Amino acid sequence: MPAEKLRRQSFENLKMDPTNIPSNNSHQQLMSGGEDCDSLDTTVPSLTSITDGTGGRRGRCGCGISMGEWLTIIILCFVNLINYMDRFTIAGILNDVKSEFKIGDDLGGLLQTAFVISYMVFAPLFGYLGDRYSRRVIMALGVFLWSLTTLIGSFMETYGWFLTLRALVGIGEASYSTIAPTIISDLYVKDMRSKMLALFYFAIPVGSGLGYIVGSETATLTENWRWGLRVTPIMGGIAVLLILFLMQDPVRGKNEGSHLSPTAWSNDLKALCKNKSFMLSTAGFTCVSFVAGALAWWGPTFVYQGLRLQEGNENINQNDVTYKFGIIAMVSGLLGVPLGSIMAQRLRSRYPRIDPLICAIGLLVSAPLLFTAALFASINSNVCYTLIFFGEIFLNLNWSIVADMLLYVVIPTRRSTAEAFQILISHAFGDAGSPYLVGVISEALKVVLSSSSSSLESNTSLSLNTSTITSELTYEPAVEFHSLQYSLFMTCFVEVIGGFFFLFTALYIIRDKLQAETTIAANGQPTHLYAEDAHSSRDQRENLMA
């Protein structure tokens, strides 16, 4: 096997015998020996810990997971769920928000873009802190911040202040999203980690779907869209208490036999930039983020505008459309996220490159499905909903697999930084701009498509300022639909680009995974694959291993 040959070559270069090292179970205590290398004190695990993989700990259930670990994963999934509920509550009531503040598609999309910009900008800060300080405290403060700012934002009467509060929400959410996956990586290894990541990440589409439903249904019941924003802050307050008093914050690298000490942040960034699998998968995930952000924000509005053009649907209620779209998002997430994880686990032993290949296939299949769904939105609602459903299933195959790839190609003490780096890149070039970009293109196309005076339902003269146009002009339903339809077509092309990024990732995934595993097994010392990272001589390494 090529992979096994490469593994043995890695250990031979370090003068080690791989058969004498228990996989993922050696307990290493590493002390900083400088900025670029770590010194260590190795202790051999007990026979029980090697054979059952539990580290010899008691009080564990039959599957080798303690009740405290189960409680931790449940808390993390709960917070991830309400996290995404909060993000997409506004998407479910977007038309009401636009009417309240008298804004168009461009400023409507800017609400999500402002949130994502602050989210991605502060992610590196929390990545740095998460690799060095108490993750439980950082997460609790972050959840408290986004809950408070969401609640205060629901009382804002002007668009400027409402936009500012939405941006502040992103700061709080950055703390949680950056750190939570690293806690899972420290509690679980191998297939169990993959399963827990699938459980964690299917909260994204499910939470998004619940956000649509909670936002629209609460607005309907209370006859005030602002109450839709006051549900998640209550749940956020509960989450803060659960994090502080019940959640575990394990030692970094706990179940991988690694107690590596953090290196300089600049060294972490250099190592990540050299990791081709990480960089290419981050580029692919950026395309996923671009598409998911645009579709999640504009999907309900687009489908609603399409249905209005069908005969007999002139008076259709948007809350009904949002509710159905939310159901589709939830069910596709419940099926797609675990399906991707299960496929990866089943095929990984036979096809070591299967993880990025599944991601690539998911995007390349999703693209034509979503493109065709956009074409049928104004023709047949059942076909449109069906195509969106299957398109989102294939899109959702990516979530847990991308997170799993990051965790197994990056060493434990760099994972929060890696998560932060991936958040920064994927959001900066993904969903930070896609909702606003789609809105801007849509507004520009409205002017083009309504070039004849008969397509306008207002006598007000056109202004070169698009935000002025939307506040003074009312376009025909066909113009509003087609302008948004054409602007959403670009997401399908972005999916294809993302698919090719994941195909390139498959070329390097085996090598980079072995590099991370060997670094951990070799007491934190880098192997020949990245020999330039090590500043200790061969004699020093041999003395250290002795």
Side-chain angles (χ1 to χ4, degrees):
M1 293 288 292
E4 180 63 26
K5 182 178 179 181
L6 180 58
R7 185 191 296 272
R8 291 185 176 277
Q9 287 176 348
S10 300
F11 280 95
E12 287 171 3
N13 282 356
L14 290 170
K15 304 294 184 183
M16 297 173 63
D17 179 5
T19 59
N20 292 332
I21 300 178
S23 176
N24 288 328
N25 286 291
S26 60
H27 295 283
Q28 304 161 10
Q29 179 61 46
L30 292 102
M31 298 169 290
S32 178
E35 289 187 347
D36 298 297
C37 63
D38 301 302
S39 59
L40 56 127
D41 175 30
T42 304
T43 59
V44 180
S46 65
L47 180 62
T48 303
S49 67
I50 296 176
T51 56
D52 66 11
T54 66
R57 286 166 290 176
R58 298 181 180 179
R60 311 182 73 85
C61 61
C63 58
I65 302 175
S66 69
M67 293 304 298
E69 291 171 352
W70 272 119
L71 187 58
T72 297
I73 192 66
I74 290 172
I75 294 172
L76 292 176
C77 289
F78 171 69
V79 180
N80 206 30
L81 186 75
I82 61 176
N83 182 355
Y84 279 85
M85 282 179 62
D86 177 76
R87 289 193 197 187
F88 292 102
T89 296
I90 291 183
I93 53 178
L94 186 57
N95 273 358
D96 294 330
V97 175
K98 288 167 60 180
S99 298
E100 172 84 12
F101 296 115
K102 297 180 174 59
I103 58 176
D105 287 348
D106 48 358
L107 296 184
L110 185 60
L111 288 171
Q112 183 72 348
T113 295
F115 159 80
V116 177
I117 287 176
S118 65
Y119 175 73
M120 70 182 189
V121 167
F122 281 87
L125 171 63
F126 290 114
Y128 175 86
L129 297 174
D131 279 333
R132 291 160 176 81
Y133 303 103
S134 172
R135 292 176 288 191
R136 183 171 58 238
V137 173
I138 295 170
M139 285 176 54
L141 291 175
V143 174
F144 175 77
L145 177 61
W146 72 250
S147 299
L148 180 63
T149 50
T150 297
L151 181 62
I152 295 175
S154 69
F155 293 97
M156 294 298 102
E157 298 292 337
T158 62
Y159 175 79
W161 278 111
F162 187 70
L163 180 67
T164 301
L165 267 297
R166 290 308 298 173
L168 292 176
V169 171
I171 300 175
E173 292 197 14
S175 67
Y176 171 79
S177 298
T178 303
I179 294 173
T182 68
I183 294 178
I184 295 175
S185 74
D186 292 333
L187 289 174
Y188 312 102
V189 294
K190 296 188 176 181
D191 282 350
M192 183 57 70
R193 175 192 289 168
S194 300
K195 293 174 183 176
M196 292 304 174
L197 285 172
L199 183 63
F200 177 77
Y201 278 103
F202 86 67
I204 293 178
V206 174
S208 302
L210 284 175
Y212 297 135
I213 295 172
V214 169
S216 61
E217 293 301 306
T218 305
T220 300
L221 292 174
T222 60
E223 298 182 352
N224 187 340
W225 62 268
R226 297 176 182 276
W227 281 101
L229 295 175
R230 296 167 186 169
V231 176
T232 51
I234 298 174
M235 303 171 73
I238 297 173
V240 171
L241 298 177
L242 293 176
I243 292 171
L244 287 175
F245 297 106
L246 295 178
M247 194 190 80
Q248 293 184 1
D249 187 2
V251 175
R252 292 162 182 83
K254 167 186 175 184
N255 276 345
E256 294 170 282
S258 171
H259 290 212
L260 289 156
S261 297
T263 56
W265 197 55
S266 59
N267 294 335
D268 293 344
L269 294 179
K270 290 177 183 177
L272 292 175
C273 289
K274 294 174 184 177
N275 191 322
K276 291 183 173 63
S277 295
F278 171 74
M279 295 300 294
L280 288 168
S281 63
T282 296
F285 187 65
T286 300
C287 296
V288 175
S289 181
F290 184 97
V291 175
L295 184 63
W297 192 253
W298 290 112
T301 300
F302 171 69
V303 174
Y304 167 70
Q305 291 178 353
L307 293 179
R308 282 198 304 169
L309 298 180
Q310 298 179 27
E311 186 176 354
N313 289 337
E314 293 80 4
N315 298 320
I316 189 171
N317 189 324
Q318 176 158 11
N319 287 338
D320 294 336
V321 176
T322 301
Y323 181 83
K324 292 178 181 178
F325 197 89
I327 294 295
I328 289 175
M330 282 196 300
V331 177
S332 64
L334 285 169
L335 295 177
V337 176
L339 177 62
S341 179
I342 292 172
M343 290 171 60
Q345 293 173 50
R346 295 285 177 85
L347 299 174
R348 204 173 279 156
S349 59
R350 295 168 56 189
Y351 307 101
R353 305 179 194 272
I354 195 63
D355 286 2
L357 293 178
I358 291 175
C359 294
I361 292 171
L363 288 178
L364 295 175
V365 173
S366 174
L369 290 173
L370 294 179
F371 182 86
T372 309
L375 295 177
F376 274 90
S378 61
I379 301 172
N380 188 307
S381 58
N382 291 329
V383 173
C384 176
Y385 281 132
T386 301
L387 290 171
I388 290 175
F389 174 70
F390 285 104
E392 289 202 358
I393 284 181
F394 282 99
L395 184 64
N396 286 327
L397 295 178
N398 288 266
W399 293 105
S400 65
I401 297 178
V402 171
D404 208 3
M405 285 192 292
L406 180 150
L407 295 174
Y408 66 60
V409 300
V410 177
I411 61 175
T413 53
R414 289 175 180 156
R415 285 172 183 162
S416 287
T417 298
E419 289 284 351
F421 187 88
Q422 189 171 87
I423 287 174
L424 175 63
I425 298 299
S426 64
H427 290 297
F429 299 100
D431 59 346
S434 62
Y436 181 60
L437 182 60
V438 168
V440 168
I441 294 175
S442 176
E443 287 298 318
L445 289 174
K446 286 178 183 178
V447 178
V448 175
L449 296 175
S450 61
S451 56
S452 62
S453 59
S454 60
S455 64
L456 296 174
E457 296 179 352
S458 171
N459 294 323
T460 309
S461 60
L462 290 174
S463 166
L464 293 178
N465 186 317
T466 38
S467 62
T468 303
I469 291 173
T470 54
S471 63
E472 296 180 353
L473 296 177
T474 302
Y475 296 94
E476 286 185 348
V479 172
E480 292 187 345
F481 168 74
H482 288 297
S483 64
L484 192 54
Q485 180 189 50
Y486 298 153
S487 60
L488 283 171
F489 279 154
M490 68 175 172
T491 61
C492 302
F493 296 100
V494 173
E495 280 193 284
V496 174
I497 295 172
F500 281 101
F501 275 125
F502 282 119
L503 289 177
F504 287 122
T505 304
L507 299 176
Y508 303 99
I509 195 70
I510 296 177
R511 187 200 72 172
D512 291 331
K513 181 179 180 181
L514 290 178
Q515 159 64 18
E517 290 178 347
T518 306
T519 299
I520 295 172
N523 302 317
Q525 295 299 317
T527 68
H528 69 291
L529 294 175
Y530 293 119
E532 63 269 23
D533 287 345
H535 293 279
S536 58
S537 65
R538 178 183 295 274
D539 291 338
Q540 288 175 319
R541 288 202 305 270
E542 291 177 352
N543 291 335
L544 192 60
M545 298 311 302

